[in-house]
Amino acid sequence: MRDHPRLPTAPGFWRSPLRGPWFTSVLGLVLLAGITVLFVTGLVSYAAYNPDLSPVNDTTPDKGVLGFYLFAWPAGPVWLYRFTQGVHVTLGVTLVPVLLAKLWSVVPRLFTLPPARSLAHALERVSLLLLVGGGLFEFTTGVLNIQLAYVFPGSFYPLHFYGAWVFFAAFVAHAVLKAPAAVRTVRRRLRTEPESDLVAPHPDPPTVSRRGALWLVGGGSLLLFLTTVGQSLGGPFRRTALLAPHGGPDPGGGPNGFQINKTAAYAGIDAAETGEEAWRLVVTGRTGTVRLSRAELLRLPQHSSSLPIACVEGWSTADQWWRGVRLRDLAALVGYDGEVPDVFVESLQRHGAFRRAALRANQVADGRSLLALSVNGEDLSMDHGHPARVIVPAAPGVLNTKWVARLTFGDL
Ligand SMILES: Nc1nc2c(c(=O)[nH]1)N[C@H]1C(S)=C(S)[C@@H](COP(=O)(O)O)O[C@H]1N2
Ligand SMILES: [Mo]
């Protein structure tokens, strides 16, 4: 038996026979494709919040040039955000084993001595620090957010958003430098691995082949995929999402028996303020303010839309059958007959980041956008936003404000 070097900086310290350019390259190419999709769907998710519309939609101060690509989020197809965010979260979770295996495969390089051979080498190592640190940061904040439901109240978006730009910049630089060689390595297959410092000089005997190790990583990813994807598919698949958070208490059965994000109790909604006597919807616009009781709202023309709820956490419901008053009809009550403006929505809730939201004119104008009073043929339950909630097609769940108290129409 050879002596095992004690320091990770010694070349003989790392002994796994699995390490080598082929293993690293396969994982690297999977991440190249996967992380690119994560970045694009992440930017899209940010745009879906209409962060450039109003400061209440956005807790990311001074996004400056990083907001260059923002656009008016469309109001269709109705499953748009359900799809983009389902992909973002499911793919992110699925790639966790690949990311960890990739980092493991190159960990000896972290300990290379001397720390820098030249200025170029020093710069390369700093960029790798941003790459590895940024990657771990993005995956960790993302997973924490979906598992613990907004662990960073108000601060998750800026952290994850700025982190994404730093990480992706380092990622692009790395991909430009490494991808061509990685493609060549994978094409050459296993038998003719190029010489590399990744290969252990004194490997231990193998317990699994490189190909077998790759199957293990892939199996781990598949398992995570199968136990996560159900939350985005909804319906009966929901039960298969063992790893996904179920968003609070069991919603039970019946017409209101679909996922609840924050309960009325959690949001501090008092039943006394939602009763027929107490509650009035306050609608303000060009021609002044009107106050409507729930009974009066029910006497306005009622419309139906089949729309899902799709949360940033990645879960979504199948389409629910909502019924209520069109937002654009409410705009018409306060002086907007032709062109409708944006609207600022406020709820009865006094604290919490999602107690209010701004919607863009295109969302108000869509005939499927409702101030919903009932769902699936039954009055809204307290937890789903009784006495009235907003529901908008294609939008993130956070724009579907519950327990609405006030609508202020006008360009924001
Ligand atoms: N007033 C208020 N409305 C809210 C929220 C909230 O915390 N407060 N959460 C939002 C979020 S993040 C989502 S995903 C949806 C969830 O709606 P549901 O609980 O009816 O499924 O409600 C949205 N409306
Ligand atoms: Mo959400």
Side-chain angles (χ1 to χ4, degrees):
M1 274 277 278
R2 226 176 286 115
D3 269 351
H4 196 136
R6 290 248 183 84
L7 289 178
T9 45
F13 178 87
W14 303 97
R15 315 254 282 216
S16 171
L18 295 175
R19 289 202 181 85
W22 182 81
F23 193 63
T24 296
S25 297
V26 174
L27 296 169
L29 291 175
V30 172
L31 289 177
L32 175 60
I35 285 173
T36 304
V37 174
L38 286 183
F39 185 67
V40 172
T41 50
L43 291 191
V44 158
S45 173
Y46 185 62
Y49 280 71
N50 287 336
D52 51 346
L53 179 60
S54 157
V56 300
N57 286 9
D58 186 11
T59 47
T60 313
D62 304 321
K63 62 189 166 296
V65 290
L66 298 184
F68 73 93
Y69 71 93
L70 296 175
F71 53 96
W73 186 251
V78 299
W79 44 263
L80 185 60
Y81 189 74
R82 206 181 164 203
F83 175 73
T84 62
Q85 193 60 4
V87 168
H88 186 72
V89 168
T90 308
L91 182 61
V93 169
T94 302
L95 286 179
V96 166
V98 183
L99 178 78
L100 295 179
K102 170 70 166 64
L103 292 177
W104 173 86
S105 79
V106 294
V107 78
R109 283 198 180 147
L110 185 63
F111 298 94
T112 310
L113 284 179
R117 290 187 302 271
S118 62
L119 184 64
H121 187 224
L123 285 177
E124 193 204 324
R125 293 198 79 178
V126 169
S127 83
L128 288 180
L129 217 62
L130 292 178
L131 180 73
V132 174
L136 288 174
F137 180 81
E138 287 302 287
F139 276 82
T140 309
T141 50
V143 168
L144 282 178
N145 193 57
I146 56 185
Q147 284 299 329
L148 303 177
Y150 317 109
V151 261
F152 322 93
S155 64
F156 167 73
Y157 300 94
L159 288 176
H160 202 64
F161 180 70
Y162 291 133
W165 281 103
V166 172
F167 169 55
F168 200 68
F171 180 78
V172 168
H174 187 69
V176 167
L177 288 174
K178 304 284 186 176
V183 170
R184 261 180 274 126
T185 302
V186 171
R187 283 233 174 101
R188 247 188 260 142
R189 316 241 161 172
L190 262 179
R191 243 176 284 274
T192 55
E193 278 233 85
E195 292 248 326
S196 165
D197 60 324
L198 288 173
V199 178
H202 312 297
D204 284 336
T207 49
V208 58
S209 70
R210 282 183 174 145
R211 209 161 260 151
L214 212 56
W215 278 111
L216 277 178
V217 175
S221 283
L222 185 67
L223 199 66
L224 286 178
F225 175 82
L226 292 176
T227 49
T228 302
V229 70
Q231 68 164 343
S232 305
L233 301 175
F237 296 104
R238 174 93 233 157
R239 290 164 179 283
T240 65
L242 302 174
L243 278 182
H246 287 241
D250 182 356
N256 273 279
F258 57 96
Q259 183 151 353
I260 296 157
N261 176 283
K262 297 273 168 64
T263 62
Y266 181 95
I269 306 299
D270 189 344
E273 28 176 13
T274 60
E276 190 61 45
E277 292 298 301
W279 184 81
R280 292 292 178 272
L281 176 74
V282 180
V283 187
T284 303
R286 192 150 52 193
T287 52
T289 294
V290 290
R291 287 187 167 70
L292 297 161
S293 68
R294 199 165 186 279
E296 286 167 324
L297 281 169
L298 282 165
R299 283 198 290 274
L300 294 174
Q302 302 292 301
H303 294 272
S304 304
S305 345
S306 268
L307 299 174
I309 294 216
C311 182
V312 65
E313 295 165 15
W315 61 261
S316 48
T317 71
D319 290 356
Q320 311 294 327
W321 188 61
W322 307 91
R323 204 162 158 74
V325 183
R326 280 182 173 153
L327 292 183
R328 68 177 189 217
D329 290 351
L330 292 169
L333 289 182
V334 288
Y336 299 97
D337 272 325
E339 285 278 283
V340 294
D342 311 325
V343 66
F344 179 50
V345 182
E346 291 165 280
S347 70
L348 294 169
Q349 199 181 336
R350 282 169 202 87
H351 307 282
F354 310 129
R355 68 183 193 279
R356 49 200 190 163
L359 301 172
R360 223 188 274 275
N362 67 315
Q363 294 171 316
V364 176
D366 195 289
R368 294 167 293 190
S369 298
L370 302 179
L371 183 73
L373 304 168
S374 72
V375 65
N376 302 321
E378 191 178 87
D379 274 357
L380 288 176
S381 67
M382 276 303 282
D383 288 339
H384 282 305
H386 179 86
R389 80 170 303 164
V390 163
I391 184 86
V392 172
V398 71
L399 296 182
N400 296 323
T401 309
K402 304 195 274 191
W403 315 293
V404 171
R406 189 183 285 270
L407 299 174
T408 307
F409 290 94
D411 289 319
L412 291 168

